[in-house]
Amino acid sequence: MDRTLFNEEHDLFRQSFKKFIEREVTPNQERWMEQGSVDRATWKKAGEAGFLCPWLEPEHGGAGGDFLHSVVVIEELAKSYESGFAMKLHSDIIVPYIHEFGNDAQKKRWLPGCANGDIVTAIAMTEPGTGSDLANIATTAVRDGDHYVVNGAKTFISNGILCDLCIVACKTDPDPKNAHRGISLIVVEAGTSGFIKGKKLKKMGMASQDTSELAFEDCRVPVANRLSEEGSGFAMLMQKLAQERLVVAIGAQATAERVLADTLTYVRERKAFGKPIGSFQNTKFKLAECATKVEVGRAFVDRLIAEHAAGKQLVKECSMAKYWQTDMLCEVVDTCLQFFGGYGYMLEYPIARAYMDARVQRIFAGTNEIMKVIIAKQLGL
Ligand SMILES: Cc1cc2nc3c(=O)[nH]c(=O)nc-3n(C[C@H](O)[C@H](O)[C@H](O)COP(=O)(O)OP(=O)(O)OC[C@H]3O[C@@H](n4cnc5c(N)ncnc54)[C@H](O)[C@@H]3O)c2cc1C
């Protein structure tokens, strides 16, 4: 099916980002996986070239594009099998909190750096004791004059080591009766005394992504770093999580398309018993099933992108897409990997990396079970 979402300008932007990937991403992927993070210099280059926060208005230092420019970046990065360069997390999940909920001084201070690559961001919600049950976080921020004193531990934080700025979900009201309204979002800058970047975690996939533990020990943060009102953190997160889920779905869809295309090429070339393995009925049927799922997924995601870009609230549908698209990706990658035989298990084959990178997508950004909880609630159950 033809896609009708993009205009000529988005197409040119796509061509230019593809060249950026060829030049700055692909040659470095092996090394990034070994070092467990993307080079800081590449973030800067991406910012200078206008690929970070491409939707941000020029008055804040952005290029003045729209959400579809972000979609282009997410899709092309996914198609390059680069799972660790957390551009979508920075541009389309974290910076929007500052853009929407920051006051003028905060926007002026942080947004230009977020767009030009001087500032890499992280968001710290998850803790060793709680992930899905966000209202029960234990990190506290206690008011002391014009500062908060932050204490607590966060884990699994993407960009944890690289970040210059981290939005930390903290309890400003520890009363359990007030669990949802007791959370505030506080921006903690790297270098603040008591903000400790901990262990870089070893993962099953997403090898080039820096995922870390963070600790806050009597970390004094100016009250001026709080986003919006005290106690409004949970409401802000709920408002922005729909885009986070859609962004994950967009990446999963694009990866599934790339995996399918590469598998179709492989089964035409690889021979067994004197014939291409693509000529066996099992291969045809399995890949026909995968292609159908991918095509159905594309129709749903493109519709959501269009409606989201037009400003529609899509809490239920974005949760559906996050769960369905990431489940679909895992099924498609698993099926496709089988056609690569032993090569599919070798890390030098991108399909093996795609397999390991896919699994976490059913876990982060809200587990797929939590997506179903949200969908059911929206259905009135
Ligand atoms: C690579 C990676 C990167 C990440 N990046 C970040 C980040 O940048 N920032 C951040 O804050 N977090 C991040 N996370 C954390 C991630 O969002 C959490 O792991 C996720 O939300 C699940 O929380 P948990 O691990 O505590 O699991 P738990 O909440 O303990 O869940 C365990 C299991 O119980 C199920 N479950 C829980 N509640 C329910 C329920 N009500 N009904 C049915 N089933 C339920 C879950 O679905 C899951 O299967 C990252 C995680 C990973 C692995």
Side-chain angles (χ1 to χ4, degrees), residues 253-279:
Q253 176 66 33
T255 308
E257 287 170 358
R258 172 70 199 254
V259 163
L260 177 64
D262 287 354
T263 308
L264 287 168
T265 304
Y266 187 80
V267 299
R268 284 187 187 105
E269 287 165 2
R270 176 77 177 175
K271 289 201 169 92
F273 300 94
K275 298 185 209 171
I277 56 171
S279 67

PDB file of all heavy atoms in Angstrom, residues 253-279:
ATOM      1  N   GLN A 253       7.220  -1.398  14.087  1.00  0.00           N
ATOM      2  CA  GLN A 253       6.675  -1.624  12.743  1.00  0.00           C
ATOM      3  C   GLN A 253       7.783  -1.538  11.688  1.00  0.00           C
ATOM      4  O   GLN A 253       7.900  -2.406  10.817  1.00  0.00           O
ATOM      5  CB  GLN A 253       5.579  -0.587  12.468  1.00  0.00           C
ATOM      6  CG  GLN A 253       4.991  -0.630  11.076  1.00  0.00           C
ATOM      7  CD  GLN A 253       4.217  -1.910  10.788  1.00  0.00           C
ATOM      8  OE1 GLN A 253       3.591  -2.477  11.687  1.00  0.00           O
ATOM      9  NE2 GLN A 253       4.270  -2.375   9.550  1.00  0.00           N
ATOM     10  N   ALA A 254       8.604  -0.498  11.798  1.00  0.00           N
ATOM     11  CA  ALA A 254       9.670  -0.302  10.791  1.00  0.00           C
ATOM     12  C   ALA A 254      10.695  -1.436  10.864  1.00  0.00           C
ATOM     13  O   ALA A 254      11.174  -1.922   9.829  1.00  0.00           O
ATOM     14  CB  ALA A 254      10.349   1.053  11.010  1.00  0.00           C
ATOM     15  N   THR A 255      11.008  -1.888  12.066  1.00  0.00           N
ATOM     16  CA  THR A 255      11.961  -3.003  12.195  1.00  0.00           C
ATOM     17  C   THR A 255      11.380  -4.260  11.558  1.00  0.00           C
ATOM     18  O   THR A 255      12.078  -4.991  10.843  1.00  0.00           O
ATOM     19  CB  THR A 255      12.301  -3.277  13.680  1.00  0.00           C
ATOM     20  OG1 THR A 255      12.703  -2.067  14.296  1.00  0.00           O
ATOM     21  CG2 THR A 255      13.410  -4.302  13.820  1.00  0.00           C
ATOM     22  N   ALA A 256      10.092  -4.529  11.805  1.00  0.00           N
ATOM     23  CA  ALA A 256       9.457  -5.728  11.232  1.00  0.00           C
ATOM     24  C   ALA A 256       9.516  -5.680   9.700  1.00  0.00           C
ATOM     25  O   ALA A 256       9.780  -6.696   9.035  1.00  0.00           O
ATOM     26  CB  ALA A 256       8.011  -5.834  11.712  1.00  0.00           C
ATOM     27  N   GLU A 257       9.333  -4.493   9.136  1.00  0.00           N
ATOM     28  CA  GLU A 257       9.385  -4.362   7.668  1.00  0.00           C
ATOM     29  C   GLU A 257      10.795  -4.663   7.142  1.00  0.00           C
ATOM     30  O   GLU A 257      10.967  -5.342   6.139  1.00  0.00           O
ATOM     31  CB  GLU A 257       8.950  -2.951   7.262  1.00  0.00           C
ATOM     32  CG  GLU A 257       7.449  -2.771   7.425  1.00  0.00           C
ATOM     33  CD  GLU A 257       6.975  -1.332   7.272  1.00  0.00           C
ATOM     34  OE1 GLU A 257       7.806  -0.423   7.063  1.00  0.00           O
ATOM     35  OE2 GLU A 257       5.751  -1.117   7.383  1.00  0.00           O
ATOM     36  N   ARG A 258      11.800  -4.151   7.843  1.00  0.00           N
ATOM     37  CA  ARG A 258      13.182  -4.375   7.403  1.00  0.00           C
ATOM     38  C   ARG A 258      13.554  -5.863   7.524  1.00  0.00           C
ATOM     39  O   ARG A 258      14.156  -6.450   6.622  1.00  0.00           O
ATOM     40  CB  ARG A 258      14.128  -3.510   8.250  1.00  0.00           C
ATOM     41  CG  ARG A 258      15.605  -3.781   8.024  1.00  0.00           C
ATOM     42  CD  ARG A 258      16.064  -3.292   6.647  1.00  0.00           C
ATOM     43  NE  ARG A 258      17.299  -3.907   6.226  1.00  0.00           N
ATOM     44  CZ  ARG A 258      18.482  -3.289   6.209  1.00  0.00           C
ATOM     45  NH1 ARG A 258      18.585  -2.035   6.594  1.00  0.00           N
ATOM     46  NH2 ARG A 258      19.558  -3.926   5.797  1.00  0.00           N
ATOM     47  N   VAL A 259      13.151  -6.465   8.633  1.00  0.00           N
ATOM     48  CA  VAL A 259      13.462  -7.881   8.849  1.00  0.00           C
ATOM     49  C   VAL A 259      12.805  -8.729   7.763  1.00  0.00           C
ATOM     50  O   VAL A 259      13.429  -9.637   7.183  1.00  0.00           O
ATOM     51  CB  VAL A 259      12.981  -8.308  10.268  1.00  0.00           C
ATOM     52  CG1 VAL A 259      12.883  -9.814  10.398  1.00  0.00           C
ATOM     53  CG2 VAL A 259      13.908  -7.739  11.333  1.00  0.00           C
ATOM     54  N   LEU A 260      11.560  -8.425   7.447  1.00  0.00           N
ATOM     55  CA  LEU A 260      10.847  -9.183   6.419  1.00  0.00           C
ATOM     56  C   LEU A 260      11.540  -9.017   5.061  1.00  0.00           C
ATOM     57  O   LEU A 260      11.772 -10.005   4.342  1.00  0.00           O
ATOM     58  CB  LEU A 260       9.390  -8.723   6.341  1.00  0.00           C
ATOM     59  CG  LEU A 260       8.543  -9.383   5.264  1.00  0.00           C
ATOM     60  CD1 LEU A 260       8.391 -10.891   5.512  1.00  0.00           C
ATOM     61  CD2 LEU A 260       7.149  -8.744   5.187  1.00  0.00           C
ATOM     62  N   ALA A 261      11.908  -7.787   4.719  1.00  0.00           N
ATOM     63  CA  ALA A 261      12.559  -7.538   3.419  1.00  0.00           C
ATOM     64  C   ALA A 261      13.883  -8.306   3.331  1.00  0.00           C
ATOM     65  O   ALA A 261      14.182  -8.943   2.314  1.00  0.00           O
ATOM     66  CB  ALA A 261      12.798  -6.036   3.239  1.00  0.00           C
ATOM     67  N   ASP A 262      14.673  -8.278   4.409  1.00  0.00           N
ATOM     68  CA  ASP A 262      15.959  -8.980   4.402  1.00  0.00           C
ATOM     69  C   ASP A 262      15.771 -10.494   4.325  1.00  0.00           C
ATOM     70  O   ASP A 262      16.563 -11.207   3.702  1.00  0.00           O
ATOM     71  CB  ASP A 262      16.776  -8.617   5.652  1.00  0.00           C
ATOM     72  CG  ASP A 262      17.330  -7.206   5.579  1.00  0.00           C
ATOM     73  OD1 ASP A 262      17.172  -6.555   4.520  1.00  0.00           O
ATOM     74  OD2 ASP A 262      17.918  -6.742   6.568  1.00  0.00           O
ATOM     75  N   THR A 263      14.705 -10.973   4.955  1.00  0.00           N
ATOM     76  CA  THR A 263      14.455 -12.416   4.927  1.00  0.00           C
ATOM     77  C   THR A 263      14.016 -12.854   3.523  1.00  0.00           C
ATOM     78  O   THR A 263      14.443 -13.912   3.028  1.00  0.00           O
ATOM     79  CB  THR A 263      13.390 -12.796   5.988  1.00  0.00           C
ATOM     80  OG1 THR A 263      13.809 -12.260   7.237  1.00  0.00           O
ATOM     81  CG2 THR A 263      13.227 -14.292   6.103  1.00  0.00           C
ATOM     82  N   LEU A 264      13.211 -12.039   2.874  1.00  0.00           N
ATOM     83  CA  LEU A 264      12.787 -12.381   1.507  1.00  0.00           C
ATOM     84  C   LEU A 264      13.998 -12.466   0.588  1.00  0.00           C
ATOM     85  O   LEU A 264      14.102 -13.369  -0.257  1.00  0.00           O
ATOM     86  CB  LEU A 264      11.778 -11.346   0.991  1.00  0.00           C
ATOM     87  CG  LEU A 264      10.377 -11.456   1.628  1.00  0.00           C
ATOM     88  CD1 LEU A 264       9.533 -10.231   1.298  1.00  0.00           C
ATOM     89  CD2 LEU A 264       9.674 -12.738   1.184  1.00  0.00           C
ATOM     90  N   THR A 265      14.946 -11.556   0.763  1.00  0.00           N
ATOM     91  CA  THR A 265      16.168 -11.600  -0.052  1.00  0.00           C
ATOM     92  C   THR A 265      16.939 -12.894   0.236  1.00  0.00           C
ATOM     93  O   THR A 265      17.378 -13.606  -0.673  1.00  0.00           O
ATOM     94  CB  THR A 265      17.069 -10.375   0.275  1.00  0.00           C
ATOM     95  OG1 THR A 265      16.295  -9.208   0.075  1.00  0.00           O
ATOM     96  CG2 THR A 265      18.317 -10.334  -0.580  1.00  0.00           C
ATOM     97  N   TYR A 266      17.062 -13.199   1.532  1.00  0.00           N
ATOM     98  CA  TYR A 266      17.865 -14.364   1.924  1.00  0.00           C
ATOM     99  C   TYR A 266      17.272 -15.668   1.389  1.00  0.00           C
ATOM    100  O   TYR A 266      17.997 -16.520   0.855  1.00  0.00           O
ATOM    101  CB  TYR A 266      17.992 -14.421   3.460  1.00  0.00           C
ATOM    102  CG  TYR A 266      18.938 -15.483   3.938  1.00  0.00           C
ATOM    103  CD1 TYR A 266      20.316 -15.275   3.919  1.00  0.00           C
ATOM    104  CD2 TYR A 266      18.466 -16.717   4.392  1.00  0.00           C
ATOM    105  CE1 TYR A 266      21.193 -16.265   4.337  1.00  0.00           C
ATOM    106  CE2 TYR A 266      19.337 -17.714   4.814  1.00  0.00           C
ATOM    107  CZ  TYR A 266      20.693 -17.476   4.783  1.00  0.00           C
ATOM    108  OH  TYR A 266      21.569 -18.462   5.200  1.00  0.00           O
ATOM    109  N   VAL A 267      15.946 -15.815   1.513  1.00  0.00           N
ATOM    110  CA  VAL A 267      15.353 -17.110   1.105  1.00  0.00           C
ATOM    111  C   VAL A 267      15.363 -17.288  -0.424  1.00  0.00           C
ATOM    112  O   VAL A 267      15.239 -18.409  -0.916  1.00  0.00           O
ATOM    113  CB  VAL A 267      13.915 -17.325   1.656  1.00  0.00           C
ATOM    114  CG1 VAL A 267      13.911 -17.317   3.174  1.00  0.00           C
ATOM    115  CG2 VAL A 267      12.915 -16.314   1.096  1.00  0.00           C
ATOM    116  N   ARG A 268      15.544 -16.193  -1.142  1.00  0.00           N
ATOM    117  CA  ARG A 268      15.684 -16.329  -2.603  1.00  0.00           C
ATOM    118  C   ARG A 268      17.086 -16.800  -2.956  1.00  0.00           C
ATOM    119  O   ARG A 268      17.289 -17.496  -3.942  1.00  0.00           O
ATOM    120  CB  ARG A 268      15.430 -14.984  -3.285  1.00  0.00           C
ATOM    121  CG  ARG A 268      13.962 -14.620  -3.345  1.00  0.00           C
ATOM    122  CD  ARG A 268      13.719 -13.369  -4.179  1.00  0.00           C
ATOM    123  NE  ARG A 268      12.338 -12.970  -4.062  1.00  0.00           N
ATOM    124  CZ  ARG A 268      11.898 -11.931  -3.341  1.00  0.00           C
ATOM    125  NH1 ARG A 268      12.762 -11.148  -2.704  1.00  0.00           N
ATOM    126  NH2 ARG A 268      10.621 -11.656  -3.270  1.00  0.00           N
ATOM    127  N   GLU A 269      18.079 -16.403  -2.121  1.00  0.00           N
ATOM    128  CA  GLU A 269      19.480 -16.711  -2.436  1.00  0.00           C
ATOM    129  C   GLU A 269      19.953 -18.040  -1.869  1.00  0.00           C
ATOM    130  O   GLU A 269      20.697 -18.775  -2.520  1.00  0.00           O
ATOM    131  CB  GLU A 269      20.383 -15.589  -1.891  1.00  0.00           C
ATOM    132  CG  GLU A 269      20.272 -14.309  -2.707  1.00  0.00           C
ATOM    133  CD  GLU A 269      20.862 -13.106  -1.994  1.00  0.00           C
ATOM    134  OE1 GLU A 269      21.406 -13.253  -0.882  1.00  0.00           O
ATOM    135  OE2 GLU A 269      20.760 -12.002  -2.571  1.00  0.00           O
ATOM    136  N   ARG A 270      19.539 -18.357  -0.657  1.00  0.00           N
ATOM    137  CA  ARG A 270      20.041 -19.552   0.034  1.00  0.00           C
ATOM    138  C   ARG A 270      19.403 -20.810  -0.554  1.00  0.00           C
ATOM    139  O   ARG A 270      18.175 -20.888  -0.706  1.00  0.00           O
ATOM    140  CB  ARG A 270      19.702 -19.444   1.526  1.00  0.00           C
ATOM    141  CG  ARG A 270      20.079 -20.649   2.342  1.00  0.00           C
ATOM    142  CD  ARG A 270      21.562 -20.683   2.613  1.00  0.00           C
ATOM    143  NE  ARG A 270      21.914 -21.806   3.464  1.00  0.00           N
ATOM    144  CZ  ARG A 270      23.166 -22.121   3.767  1.00  0.00           C
ATOM    145  NH1 ARG A 270      24.177 -21.395   3.279  1.00  0.00           N
ATOM    146  NH2 ARG A 270      23.423 -23.139   4.541  1.00  0.00           N
ATOM    147  N   LYS A 271      20.273 -21.772  -0.858  1.00  0.00           N
ATOM    148  CA  LYS A 271      19.732 -23.010  -1.461  1.00  0.00           C
ATOM    149  C   LYS A 271      19.868 -24.186  -0.507  1.00  0.00           C
ATOM    150  O   LYS A 271      20.826 -24.275   0.265  1.00  0.00           O
ATOM    151  CB  LYS A 271      20.486 -23.323  -2.738  1.00  0.00           C
ATOM    152  CG  LYS A 271      20.164 -22.352  -3.876  1.00  0.00           C
ATOM    153  CD  LYS A 271      20.513 -22.984  -5.217  1.00  0.00           C
ATOM    154  CE  LYS A 271      19.963 -22.179  -6.367  1.00  0.00           C
ATOM    155  NZ  LYS A 271      20.887 -21.190  -6.902  1.00  0.00           N
ATOM    156  N   ALA A 272      18.909 -25.105  -0.574  1.00  0.00           N
ATOM    157  CA  ALA A 272      18.987 -26.400   0.123  1.00  0.00           C
ATOM    158  C   ALA A 272      18.321 -27.419  -0.800  1.00  0.00           C
ATOM    159  O   ALA A 272      17.326 -27.093  -1.455  1.00  0.00           O
ATOM    160  CB  ALA A 272      18.261 -26.346   1.459  1.00  0.00           C
ATOM    161  N   PHE A 273      18.882 -28.591  -0.857  1.00  0.00           N
ATOM    162  CA  PHE A 273      18.359 -29.645  -1.743  1.00  0.00           C
ATOM    163  C   PHE A 273      18.219 -29.142  -3.182  1.00  0.00           C
ATOM    164  O   PHE A 273      17.270 -29.449  -3.887  1.00  0.00           O
ATOM    165  CB  PHE A 273      17.020 -30.187  -1.214  1.00  0.00           C
ATOM    166  CG  PHE A 273      17.129 -30.793   0.161  1.00  0.00           C
ATOM    167  CD1 PHE A 273      16.858 -30.033   1.295  1.00  0.00           C
ATOM    168  CD2 PHE A 273      17.555 -32.109   0.326  1.00  0.00           C
ATOM    169  CE1 PHE A 273      16.997 -30.561   2.555  1.00  0.00           C
ATOM    170  CE2 PHE A 273      17.686 -32.646   1.600  1.00  0.00           C
ATOM    171  CZ  PHE A 273      17.409 -31.875   2.713  1.00  0.00           C
ATOM    172  N   GLY A 274      19.179 -28.279  -3.573  1.00  0.00           N
ATOM    173  CA  GLY A 274      19.233 -27.806  -4.950  1.00  0.00           C
ATOM    174  C   GLY A 274      18.229 -26.720  -5.297  1.00  0.00           C
ATOM    175  O   GLY A 274      18.109 -26.326  -6.457  1.00  0.00           O
ATOM    176  N   LYS A 275      17.491 -26.229  -4.300  1.00  0.00           N
ATOM    177  CA  LYS A 275      16.469 -25.205  -4.608  1.00  0.00           C
ATOM    178  C   LYS A 275      16.602 -24.048  -3.616  1.00  0.00           C
ATOM    179  O   LYS A 275      17.008 -24.257  -2.465  1.00  0.00           O
ATOM    180  CB  LYS A 275      15.063 -25.760  -4.370  1.00  0.00           C
ATOM    181  CG  LYS A 275      14.631 -26.908  -5.179  1.00  0.00           C
ATOM    182  CD  LYS A 275      13.170 -27.124  -4.778  1.00  0.00           C
ATOM    183  CE  LYS A 275      12.768 -28.566  -4.905  1.00  0.00           C
ATOM    184  NZ  LYS A 275      11.479 -28.823  -4.355  1.00  0.00           N
ATOM    185  N   PRO A 276      16.170 -22.849  -4.009  1.00  0.00           N
ATOM    186  CA  PRO A 276      16.128 -21.765  -3.021  1.00  0.00           C
ATOM    187  C   PRO A 276      15.169 -22.154  -1.892  1.00  0.00           C
ATOM    188  O   PRO A 276      14.112 -22.745  -2.160  1.00  0.00           O
ATOM    189  CB  PRO A 276      15.559 -20.561  -3.803  1.00  0.00           C
ATOM    190  CG  PRO A 276      15.658 -20.926  -5.236  1.00  0.00           C
ATOM    191  CD  PRO A 276      15.668 -22.431  -5.332  1.00  0.00           C
ATOM    192  N   ILE A 277      15.539 -21.831  -0.645  1.00  0.00           N
ATOM    193  CA  ILE A 277      14.657 -22.240   0.465  1.00  0.00           C
ATOM    194  C   ILE A 277      13.308 -21.510   0.391  1.00  0.00           C
ATOM    195  O   ILE A 277      12.319 -21.971   0.951  1.00  0.00           O
ATOM    196  CB  ILE A 277      15.317 -22.059   1.860  1.00  0.00           C
ATOM    197  CG1 ILE A 277      15.772 -20.621   2.077  1.00  0.00           C
ATOM    198  CG2 ILE A 277      16.477 -23.012   2.039  1.00  0.00           C
ATOM    199  CD1 ILE A 277      16.218 -20.357   3.495  1.00  0.00           C
ATOM    200  N   GLY A 278      13.275 -20.424  -0.350  1.00  0.00           N
ATOM    201  CA  GLY A 278      12.008 -19.709  -0.555  1.00  0.00           C
ATOM    202  C   GLY A 278      11.011 -20.494  -1.393  1.00  0.00           C
ATOM    203  O   GLY A 278       9.833 -20.128  -1.455  1.00  0.00           O
ATOM    204  N   SER A 279      11.478 -21.560  -2.034  1.00  0.00           N
ATOM    205  CA  SER A 279      10.548 -22.323  -2.878  1.00  0.00           C
ATOM    206  C   SER A 279       9.802 -23.401  -2.080  1.00  0.00           C
ATOM    207  O   SER A 279       8.865 -24.012  -2.576  1.00  0.00           O
ATOM    208  CB  SER A 279      11.288 -22.971  -4.052  1.00  0.00           C
ATOM    209  OG  SER A 279      12.169 -23.960  -3.551  1.00  0.00           O
TER     210      SER A 279
END
